[in-house]
């Protein structure tokens, strides 16, 4: 290289030289602005209508805690129905006590050498206030029983028209279908035959305490009676 062609230091300084674009202050200002704008759009999407924030879905945790179910207690209709009545072979008093527990109250009488015991249970499942189960025993065997004051939901009130529809000879199933379940049951023995009474006392049209009773003998309607009823 011919050094004679090189400019002197003074000549070089006197010449005007252009700076590269990346050495300009405005170039780095643009870079900073771009970077700042990019960080603001992190987590955002661009649509035809502009940017929007990334939607987040909140997943709710399912409550796996088992809810405590209140255990129902008390004498059930199933237990009542399972007590067999017979003067010599009815359900023994010991068996009834083992199943139902100690009675709430007991009364004992004796007549001509026959010992009769009446036991009462006050804790009745699905029972109204004052509901009871009463079982009579003669010489240690069940001879009568009564379950009173059960709660029953009805779709409509029972009036004199419903009462008039009850006819002798109808079956228990027919009465259940036409009138629904009763609020109280009682059963006893008479001359070797089973006599059952159904008492309807809830949603009965009439005076306060209006009710009617349907009597079955060996499974068929044999009578009825009512008190304080009116038409719907």
């Amino acid at each position: 290289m011919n050094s004679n062609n090189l400019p002197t230091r003074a000549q070089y300084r006197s010449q005007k030289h252009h700076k590269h674009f990346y050495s300009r202050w405005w170039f780095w200002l643009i870079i900073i602005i771009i970077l700042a704008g990019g960080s603001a759009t992190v987590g955002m999407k661009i649509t035809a209508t502009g940017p929007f924030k990334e939607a987040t879905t909140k997943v709710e945790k399912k409550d796996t805690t088992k809810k405590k179910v209140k255990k129902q207690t008390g004498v059930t209709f199933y237990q009542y129905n399972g007590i067999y009545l017979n003067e010599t072979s009815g359900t023994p008093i010991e068996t009834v006590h083992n199943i139902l527990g100690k009675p709430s109250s007991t009364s004992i009488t004796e007549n001509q050498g026959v010992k009769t015991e009446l036991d009462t249970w006050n804790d009745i499942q699905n029972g109204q206030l004052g509901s009871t189960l009463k079982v009579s025993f003669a010489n240690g065997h069940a001879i009568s029983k009564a379950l009173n004051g059960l709660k029953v939901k009805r779709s409509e009130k029972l009036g004199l028209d419903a009462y008039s529809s009850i006819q002798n000879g109808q079956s228990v199933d027919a009465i259940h279908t036409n009138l629904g379940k009763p609020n109280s049951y009682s059963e006893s023995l008479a001359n070797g035959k089973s006599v059952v009474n159904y008492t309807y006392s809830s949603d009965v049209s009439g005076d306060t305490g209006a009710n009617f009773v349907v009597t079955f003998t060996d499974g068929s309607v044999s009578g009825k009676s009512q008190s304080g009823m009116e038409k719907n």
Side-chain angles (χ1 to χ4, degrees):
M1 175 180 295
N2 189 356
S3 61
N4 293 327
N5 294 328
L6 295 174
T8 64
R9 182 182 296 273
Q11 290 175 331
Y12 179 81
R13 287 180 177 177
S14 64
Q15 294 177 354
K16 187 177 181 180
H17 294 279
H18 294 283
K19 293 183 179 181
H20 295 288
F21 70 92
Y22 52 78
S23 63
R24 302 287 182 173
W25 66 267
W26 50 262
F27 171 79
W28 292 108
L29 177 61
I30 293 172
I31 295 298
I32 293 172
I33 293 173
I34 292 173
L35 291 176
S39 62
T41 59
V42 172
M44 304 179 73
K45 290 184 178 180
I46 303 299
T47 66
T49 58
F52 64 90
K53 290 186 178 180
E54 189 77 58
T56 57
T57 303
K58 185 178 180 180
V59 179
E60 294 184 1
K61 293 184 178 179
K62 292 184 178 180
D63 186 2
T64 57
T65 305
K66 291 184 178 180
K67 294 182 179 180
K68 292 183 178 180
V69 178
K70 186 178 179 180
K71 186 178 180 180
Q72 290 186 322
T73 60
V75 178
T76 65
F77 174 76
Y78 179 80
Q79 292 171 326
Y80 161 84
N81 204 39
I83 300 173
Y84 173 66
L85 306 181
N86 190 280
E87 294 177 352
T88 58
S89 60
T91 304
I93 188 171
E94 295 84 1
T95 302
V96 175
H97 286 180
N98 287 337
I99 295 173
L100 304 183
K102 184 179 179 181
S104 304
S105 62
T106 298
S107 63
I108 299 175
T109 60
E110 189 169 343
N111 185 20
Q112 297 181 352
V114 178
K115 180 182 177 182
T116 303
E117 179 173 326
L118 175 62
D119 290 341
T120 302
W121 285 263
N122 295 332
D123 187 10
I124 308 300
Q125 192 173 124
N126 194 43
Q128 301 172 359
L129 182 64
S131 59
T132 60
L133 167 67
K134 295 179 181 291
V135 184
S136 292
F137 302 90
N139 290 328
H141 294 279
I143 58 171
S144 69
K145 58 183 180 178
L147 182 61
N148 304 306
L150 297 179
K151 297 176 183 177
V152 180
K153 291 184 178 180
R154 308 190 192 283
S155 58
E156 59 183 16
K157 282 196 170 187
L158 301 174
L160 284 175
D161 290 341
Y163 176 78
S164 298
S165 70
I166 303 169
Q167 301 297 323
N168 285 349
Q170 287 181 308
S171 66
V172 172
D173 289 339
I175 297 300
H176 280 166
T177 300
N178 296 335
L179 305 177
K181 294 182 178 180
N183 301 96
S184 301
Y185 303 79
S186 67
E187 183 177 351
S188 60
L189 298 173
N191 299 321
K193 294 183 178 182
S194 170
V195 178
V196 175
N197 288 317
Y198 279 8
T199 301
Y200 292 81
S201 55
S202 66
D203 294 318
V204 176
S205 296
D207 300 334
T208 302
N211 66 85
F212 64 94
V213 180
V214 184
T215 301
F216 302 87
T217 301
D218 282 348
S220 298
V221 175
S222 58
K224 62 181 180 179
S225 63
Q226 63 90 8
S227 174
M229 290 187 67
E230 298 175 353
K231 289 186 178 181
N232 288 351

